[in-house]
Amino acid sequence: MEYEDRYLHLNEAIDLDSHVICRYKVKTDLKMTTAAAAIATEQSTGTWTKLSTLNDDNFLKRSGKVIAIDGNVTSIAFPVEDFSLDIGGVPQILSIIAGNLFGLDALQGVRLEDVIFPKCMLKEFKGPKFGVDGLRSMLKRPTKPLVGTIVKPKIGLTPKETADYVYEAGMGGLTNGKDDETLSNQKFCPLEDRVVAIAEALDRVRSDSGHVMIHAINVSTNGHQILEVAERAQELGASQLMVDVLTCGFGAIQVLAEDPSIKLPIHVHRTMHGAMTRNPEHGINMKVFATLSRMVGGDALHVGTFGVGKMKGEAHEDLANKDVCLTNDLPYKRVMPVASGGVQPGMIKKLVEMAGMDLQIQAGGGVSGHPRGVRGGARAMSQAVDAAAADIPLDVYAKDHVELAEALKKWGLA
Ligand code: CAP
Ligand code: MG
């Protein structure tokens, strides 16, 4: 490879305040130094051949530097000057740290495992407006995990049926409801009608029981429309917004989080993430997406289900995602981690033991599949969260709580 040695800085001290540090796991037949240099080259100043246009000054100031190689893992430091945050933002960050390198023929596989941004870049982002504490105070739920549902079936219900579901869920004690990721503005359930009907249902929950619940409306859409759609949903009474971060892009979250007219928390869904995060040898670790989601202002983020459920990934990776949401190492409000996907009441104690109390636990099928319907399913979920928060085994708690007992009978204990 051209200039390979010039990209290698293996025994040099690096100024961490002026570089973005990325860790890549690499699968290659080449020497690791060659493979690592190929990434640093492609993602900064080089290409496949020597360039007449690359001068020494530019080379030294803008090149990615291979700063460590440990087995098949390499760390590469990209100078902050390579990044353009005023115009460019997260899309441009991703084009450097997670761009062309995935297609390099020299590598049979490469996975971006982690990224660390210097303070000077982090301070250009504002992070969540609400986060864990904001959501907890909205919901008047200071310590226990939040407990929610995804309205199921995913699509097909009318606005009234959706609102009836939400009412039942709220009366059963759930704190959070949400649209499913494939529900948008279909003719059978127009967004505006849905927002109005759900807002009315949530008001009724509050007046009938005193209980506070919010519901995230899926505003995922084209870039040129998202702010307008979110503003309209807010105007009509939406209490939370939901955005699919990978299909819409990180800019979609940022525009909603930073626009002064939007005063609602943002629930960040990650549909499509499995295409990038699940192969241990190629792709992008969810932790990277969690870091970026927090930077751009997501208030709650799907992090996985810690080794249980229909979409379970590696529990240790889910825990790392959760830690990114909550760590004080990032200069922003903490993001509420969300455990979702095939969840049912019998899993809740285990989820809380693994992830702690700062967690939103939600279930679609695990609520509306309950033998007593949505209200019964919501009660079973709430009871399981209460038991877990009090550190009482679920089968013991179920002796005095019939909905939980029926859920455990149907789905078992994790
Ligand atoms: C869960 C869910 C969520 C997934 C997302 C679904 O429904 O609504 O989208 O949890 O997974 O459509 O599958 P169920 P992740 O509770 O009925 O399974 O958080 O892993 O991205
Ligand atoms: Mg879903």
Side-chain angles (χ1 to χ4, degrees):
M1 205 194 79
E2 302 294 348
Y3 316 114
E4 176 176 325
D5 292 346
R6 296 187 67 185
Y7 286 92
L8 300 177
H9 297 256
L10 289 169
N11 296 311
E12 296 170 22
I14 277 285
D15 176 12
L16 296 177
D17 290 336
S18 58
H19 289 87
V20 173
I21 313 291
C22 293
R23 220 158 45 81
Y24 298 97
K25 185 161 83 185
V26 180
K27 188 175 181 201
T28 181
D29 296 332
L30 302 173
K31 279 195 308 182
M32 261 305 278
T33 44
T34 307
I39 298 173
T41 307
E42 179 62 34
Q43 299 311 124
S44 60
T45 49
T47 182
W48 56 276
T49 187
K50 228 174 209 164
L51 299 173
S52 61
T53 44
L54 179 58
N55 64 37
D56 271 355
D57 184 50
N58 194 20
F59 188 93
L60 290 171
K61 287 190 184 143
R62 329 264 183 246
S63 287
K65 304 175 181 68
V66 178
I67 56 169
I69 292 179
D70 182 7
N72 63 346
V73 176
T74 180
S75 295
I76 298 182
F78 295 104
V80 283
E81 279 190 36
D82 291 9
F83 296 86
S84 168
L85 298 186
D86 54 353
I87 294 179
V90 174
Q92 193 263 353
I93 292 177
L94 283 170
S95 75
I96 293 181
I97 69 172
N100 280 1
L101 64 103
F102 293 112
L104 286 175
D105 188 46
L107 314 177
Q108 279 85 61
V110 54
R111 189 173 197 242
L112 172 58
E113 294 289 356
D114 198 6
V115 57
I116 299 170
F117 294 103
K119 286 196 186 71
C120 64
M121 275 176 78
L122 291 174
K123 76 174 175 41
E124 298 299 318
F125 292 85
K126 297 186 168 59
K129 278 210 280 253
F130 295 82
V132 173
D133 297 336
L135 286 165
R136 284 194 175 288
S137 104
M138 267 179 107
L139 293 164
K140 304 190 190 321
R141 187 136 165 134
T143 51
K144 281 195 284 191
L146 307 188
V147 56
T149 188
I150 312 101
V151 175
K152 299 278 171 178
K154 283 173 109 85
I155 53 164
L157 300 186
T158 63
K160 176 168 185 322
E161 288 165 338
T162 308
D164 289 347
Y165 185 121
V166 172
Y167 177 78
E168 289 296 303
M171 293 305 285
L174 299 191
T175 56
N176 293 77
K178 66 178 265 311
D179 288 351
D180 222 320
E181 70 284 349
T182 53
L183 185 63
S184 176
N185 188 37
Q186 289 98 325
K187 293 210 169 48
F188 52 80
C189 195
L191 188 139
E192 293 195 0
D193 297 349
R194 182 166 82 248
V195 172
V196 171
I198 291 173
E200 188 271 332
L202 294 175
D203 285 347
R204 264 194 306 128
V205 169
R206 197 191 279 233
S207 59
D208 292 354
S209 69
H211 177 66
V212 188
M213 180 186 183
I214 57 175
H215 180 95
I217 297 291
N218 183 19
V219 295
S220 303
T221 186
N222 299 310
H224 69 284
Q225 292 173 308
I226 197 159
L227 187 54
E228 194 187 321
V229 173
E231 277 171 347
R232 187 74 186 129
Q234 176 174 270
E235 210 174 280
L236 293 173
S239 43
Q240 189 174 21
L241 304 171
M242 179 175 113
V243 178
D244 286 317
V245 64
L246 297 176
T247 55
C248 293
F250 288 86
I253 310 282
Q254 195 167 356
V255 74
L256 298 183
E258 293 187 4
D259 193 280
S261 71
I262 299 291
K263 307 206 180 327
L264 300 176
I266 304 167
H267 180 105
V268 182
H269 195 282
R270 57 176 188 166
T271 194
M272 199 168 82
H273 80 92
M276 289 173 274
T277 61
R278 282 297 164 82
N279 183 339
E281 295 186 330
H282 191 79
I284 301 173
N285 192 312
M286 177 64 203
K287 199 175 162 184
V288 174
F289 295 137
T291 304
L292 295 169
S293 298
R294 187 164 171 190
M295 287 162 69
V296 296
D299 293 289
L301 170 71
H302 287 233
V303 297
T305 44
F306 312 99
V308 297
K310 75 176 184 191
M311 295 162 91
K312 62 171 173 280
E314 294 290 336
H316 69 93
E317 292 202 352
D318 298 350
L319 284 169
N321 303 336
K322 184 224 23 136
D323 290 344
V324 169
C325 289
L326 298 177
T327 179
N328 291 324
D329 291 349
L330 290 171
Y332 315 112
K333 289 185 176 146
R334 297 176 312 141
V335 175
M336 181 61 80
V338 179
S340 183
V343 170
Q344 49 92 353
M347 295 169 181
I348 286 179
K349 183 118 192 338
K350 185 165 176 201
L351 290 176
V352 173
E353 276 164 9
M354 290 197 70
M357 301 277 264
D358 283 328
L359 188 64
Q360 175 171 329
I361 304 168
Q362 61 185 35
V367 166
S368 44
H370 190 278
R372 291 185 191 227
V374 174
R375 194 182 295 208
R379 283 210 175 115
M381 287 287 289
S382 305
Q383 291 160 0
V385 168
D386 290 349
D391 199 18
I392 300 169
L394 295 184
D395 48 356
V396 173
Y397 205 74
K399 290 193 174 119
D400 302 323
H401 296 86
V402 64
E403 293 87 356
L404 179 58
E406 286 178 7
L408 297 185
K409 185 158 176 250
K410 179 163 181 181
W411 294 307
L413 205 53

